Amino acid sequence: MLPLIDAQEISALRYSVRGPVFTPADPGFDAEVAAFNLSTRHTPDVVVGALDADDVAVAVAWAAQRSLSISVQATGHGATNAIQGGLLISTRRMQELEIDPLEMTVRVGAGVQWKAVVDAAGPLGLMGLHGSTTDVGVVGYTLGGGLPVMGRKYGFASDHVIAFELVTADGTQQRVTAGGDPRLFSLLRGGKGNLGIVTAMEFKLFLLGEFYAGGIYYPGGHARDVLTAFKAWAQSLPAEVSASLAFLRLPDLEMVPEPLRGQFVMHLRFAHQGTEFEGAELLRPMRECAPIAMDSVRPLPYSEVDSIHQDPDQPVPVREGGFMMERLDDDAVEALLELLGPGVESPLLLAELRLMGGELSTRPAGGDCIGPRDAAFSFFGAGLAVPPFAEALPGEFARIREALAPFSTGGSFVNLHGHFGDAADRARAWTPEAYDRLVEAKASLDPQNLFRHGHVVEPAVV
Ligand SMILES: Cc1cc2nc3c(=O)[nH]c(=O)nc-3n(C[C@H](O)[C@H](O)[C@H](O)COP(=O)(O)OP(=O)(O)OC[C@H]3O[C@@H](n4cnc5c(N)ncnc54)[C@H](O)[C@@H]3O)c2cc1C
């Protein structure tokens, strides 16, 4: 049975933290729990808008004393499943951001979004390893491993973390580094929100250099030519190039530019760290494989990096699903065309094949928890969770997973797993060995299993 939180206990919490506290009866509660994914409505019993690490530690200790479950939200980009009951810690006010340009490192608070890092680091000629949209929170993304736009060249974002500042389930604060606590450090790289709340993080930045990037849209009727060309081309690419190919069924809405509005198109996303000449040469086979509806690949100011993938920048109701692929061969191409090609009715707005490999395959010294080091491609789908698509989406994801099972690794990447199901489904995001290590660490750090919301492991069986 859930413990009851009476008004006196809420008052005690209000007196102990500096940030605001909201119960469902308070104005501001709805705005505080709102997620980027509009299809998810979190309903915690109480929310703390933490201002700093002390607020987080005090709030965690308060919840632990009452055996209340604890969850955390920065942006709600990862709000695939709703949080029900307990304490939610909202980190959006924790906006500390400090760059050391000489050491090429940055320290961020738990609420910082990647766009703030891009804005601050870009003018210094530096960049961080963000993903397809810089709207995402740096900490939540990196705890999941963080699959960056330039991942094939530099690896996962968590490979380059220097320190995590962590509040564990008993409310204690600690700085976790590779030298100080190698076991815990490795578990935070890809272990997601299982072991506590990260209040700040320090990590390495990289030199920007020249950048040739953007997208090419092809009419969907040429999906076979484009996918066949992509299959061969992707295998030939150096690590300096990141690429993905998406089947897009664009809605008939004003936000979609006119030539693409209401259309089924193939969207190649391309990013090359290097000169325009080299980039254009590398891209040539894909510029010649089929007629092009729109081509935006060019020397790209880094501040426009979100234009490569064109992910939504406003909250949307979505349902997502993803898994890793071991290969993209002729049979996989046929299967994909049967599932998503021209003439097929699919409720998926987007189905993306993202090329893995390069440095993404190299596990960092000290180890980590990232599952899909050996995958060839990531498959990620998303559909609008509104009628008439909403009802069809769970079945569509199941159908696609089953049809592509022969080409899949069987695993997923925790950040791109999407809506999760039972323990077996959640476990797909980690190797069995990493999963067991997480369960063991959770049993000692969080014996009450307070951090049980979100994409987490099961508690140890005792
Ligand atoms: C449009 C879009 C594009 C994306 N592109 C990519 C991509 O290219 N590469 C990639 O790797 N991922 C990508 N993602 C997934 C994204 O990285 C995850 O959803 C990530 O969890 C978002 O973190 P957040 O803090 O913004 O989200 P939130 O919903 O606020 O948090 C999600 C989860 O992260 C954990 N978390 C957040 N903050 C903390 C904290 N301070 N301490 C402990 N745990 C915490 C918790 O488990 C929480 O439930 C994308 C998501 C979207 C919606």
Side-chain angles (χ1 to χ4, degrees), residues 216-234 244-245 266-269 280-295:
I216 298 181
Y217 291 90
Y218 310 86
H222 295 276
R224 174 176 293 282
D225 296 334
V226 177
L227 186 55
T228 306
F230 179 74
K231 179 196 71 145
W233 173 73
S244 75
L245 182 67
M266 300 296 283
H267 182 200
L268 179 75
R269 298 92 178 271
E281 264 310 292
L282 287 162
L283 185 57
R284 196 155 48 84
M286 292 309 291
R287 280 193 161 132
E288 292 173 354
C289 73
I292 289 174
M294 202 192 267
D295 182 346

Side-chain angles (χ1 to χ4, degrees), residues 36 72-79 91 110 131-133 136-137 139-141 143 146-147 192-193 196-198 311-312 320 354 413 415-416 454:
F36 183 85
V72 56
Q73 175 163 277
T75 69
H77 272 84
T91 59
S132 58
T133 166
V136 157
V139 168
Y141 162 92
L143 286 171
L147 174 58
K192 206 69 191 176
I197 296 186
V198 169
D311 286 343
E320 301 159 348
R354 202 182 296 193
F413 173 53
N415 275 0
L416 299 178

Side-chain angles (χ1 to χ4, degrees), residues 253-451:
L253 296 174
E254 257 180 53
M255 61 192 267
V256 181
E258 188 46 86
L260 303 174
R261 196 176 298 167
Q263 302 292 315
F264 163 47
V265 292
M266 300 296 283
H267 182 200
L268 179 75
R269 298 92 178 271
F270 177 86
H272 172 247
Q273 205 177 22
T275 65
E276 177 177 5
F277 178 78
E278 290 161 351
E281 264 310 292
L282 287 162
L283 185 57
R284 196 155 48 84
M286 292 309 291
R287 280 193 161 132
E288 292 173 354
C289 73
I292 289 174
M294 202 192 267
D295 182 346
S296 71
V297 185
R298 65 193 195 285
L300 192 75
Y302 204 77
S303 55
E304 292 175 34
V305 70
D306 283 352
S307 69
I308 300 171
H309 282 251
Q310 306 232 316
D311 286 343
D313 57 2
Q314 296 300 317
V316 272
V318 286
R319 186 172 176 115
E320 301 159 348
F323 55 87
M324 305 311 292
M325 290 182 61
E326 157 189 287
R327 63 183 192 279
L328 178 64
D329 57 16
D330 290 343
D331 291 342
V333 166
E334 289 309 319
L336 279 159
L337 290 169
E338 255 176 55
L339 289 162
L340 296 158
V344 178
E345 289 275 319
S346 171
L348 287 193
L349 178 72
L350 163 131
E352 181 206 51
L353 292 166
R354 202 182 296 193
L355 180 64
M356 304 289 286
E359 272 307 298
L360 294 167
S361 312
T362 310
R363 218 171 270 289
D368 66 8
C369 273
I370 290 177
R373 286 278 175 193
D374 53 354
F377 288 88
S378 144
F379 177 93
F380 180 73
L384 286 176
V386 294
F389 311 112
E391 276 184 15
L393 285 170
E396 178 73 348
F397 283 122
R399 190 173 77 98
I400 290 178
R401 234 185 101 202
E402 194 185 325
L404 296 182
F407 319 103
S408 149
T409 65
S412 69
F413 173 53
V414 68
N415 275 0
L416 299 178
H417 182 106
H419 194 96
F420 54 81
D422 60 12
D425 182 50
R426 279 176 275 132
R428 291 195 294 117
W430 293 284
T431 62
E433 178 269 334
Y435 188 88
D436 289 347
R437 281 194 292 134
L438 279 168
V439 170
E440 195 191 331
K442 199 168 173 64
S444 74
L445 287 171
D446 181 13
Q448 294 193 80
N449 193 25
L450 299 179
F451 297 112

Side-chain angles (χ1 to χ4, degrees), residues 25-377:
D26 295 320
F29 176 88
D30 287 346
E32 200 63 43
V33 302
F36 183 85
N37 186 343
L38 296 177
S39 73
T40 299
R41 188 177 136 62
H42 297 313
T43 53
D45 294 319
V46 57
V47 189
V48 169
L51 297 191
D52 53 25
D54 288 345
D55 268 4
V56 174
V58 167
V60 166
W62 176 90
Q65 280 153 17
R66 290 155 181 85
S67 298
L68 275 177
S69 65
I70 306 165
S71 53
V72 56
Q73 175 163 277
T75 69
H77 272 84
T80 54
N81 297 55
I83 295 161
Q84 289 171 332
L87 166 72
L88 172 66
I89 296 182
S90 166
T91 59
R92 64 178 69 162
R93 294 167 185 77
M94 297 172 67
Q95 292 295 333
E96 177 190 358
L97 196 165
E98 202 180 325
I99 293 182
D100 183 333
L102 291 180
E103 291 294 323
M104 300 203 330
T105 61
V106 61
R107 176 185 168 83
V108 296
V112 171
Q113 286 161 276
W114 270 112
K115 60 180 139 200
V117 179
V118 169
D119 289 351
L124 301 169
L126 299 172
M127 63 171 214
L129 297 181
H130 56 81
S132 58
T133 166
T134 59
D135 208 29
V136 157
V138 179
V139 168
Y141 162 92
T142 307
L143 286 171
L147 174 58
V149 170
M150 290 314 298
R152 284 170 40 80
K153 180 162 183 196
Y154 298 106
F156 284 92
S158 64
D159 298 351
H160 303 285
V161 173
I162 298 161
F164 297 97
E165 289 179 13
L166 181 71
V167 172
T168 44
D170 57 358
T172 58
Q173 302 184 38
Q174 56 184 302
R175 185 176 162 85
V176 186
T177 60
D181 190 339
R183 178 171 157 266
L184 184 52
F185 186 75
S186 75
L187 290 168
L188 291 171
R189 289 166 142 183
K192 206 69 191 176
N194 269 292
L195 303 176
I197 296 186
V198 169
T199 55
M201 210 175 70
E202 288 167 27
F203 55 96
K204 288 186 197 145
L205 297 172
F206 296 87
L207 290 173
L208 258 180
E210 285 184 72
F211 199 55
Y212 183 74
I216 298 181
Y217 291 90
Y218 310 86
H222 295 276
R224 174 176 293 282
D225 296 334
V226 177
L227 186 55
T228 306
F230 179 74
K231 179 196 71 145
W233 173 73
Q235 282 164 20
S236 72
L237 292 174
E240 286 71 29
V241 174
S242 290
S244 75
L245 182 67
F247 295 75
L248 287 185
R249 288 174 159 82
L250 295 165
D252 191 3
L253 296 174
E254 257 180 53
M255 61 192 267
V256 181
E258 188 46 86
L260 303 174
R261 196 176 298 167
Q263 302 292 315
F264 163 47
V265 292
M266 300 296 283
H267 182 200
L268 179 75
R269 298 92 178 271
F270 177 86
H272 172 247
Q273 205 177 22
T275 65
E276 177 177 5
F277 178 78
E278 290 161 351
E281 264 310 292
L282 287 162
L283 185 57
R284 196 155 48 84
M286 292 309 291
R287 280 193 161 132
E288 292 173 354
C289 73
I292 289 174
M294 202 192 267
D295 182 346
S296 71
V297 185
R298 65 193 195 285
L300 192 75
Y302 204 77
S303 55
E304 292 175 34
V305 70
D306 283 352
S307 69
I308 300 171
H309 282 251
Q310 306 232 316
D311 286 343
D313 57 2
Q314 296 300 317
V316 272
V318 286
R319 186 172 176 115
E320 301 159 348
F323 55 87
M324 305 311 292
M325 290 182 61
E326 157 189 287
R327 63 183 192 279
L328 178 64
D329 57 16
D330 290 343
D331 291 342
V333 166
E334 289 309 319
L336 279 159
L337 290 169
E338 255 176 55
L339 289 162
L340 296 158
V344 178
E345 289 275 319
S346 171
L348 287 193
L349 178 72
L350 163 131
E352 181 206 51
L353 292 166
R354 202 182 296 193
L355 180 64
M356 304 289 286
E359 272 307 298
L360 294 167
S361 312
T362 310
R363 218 171 270 289
D368 66 8
C369 273
I370 290 177
R373 286 278 175 193
D374 53 354
F377 288 88

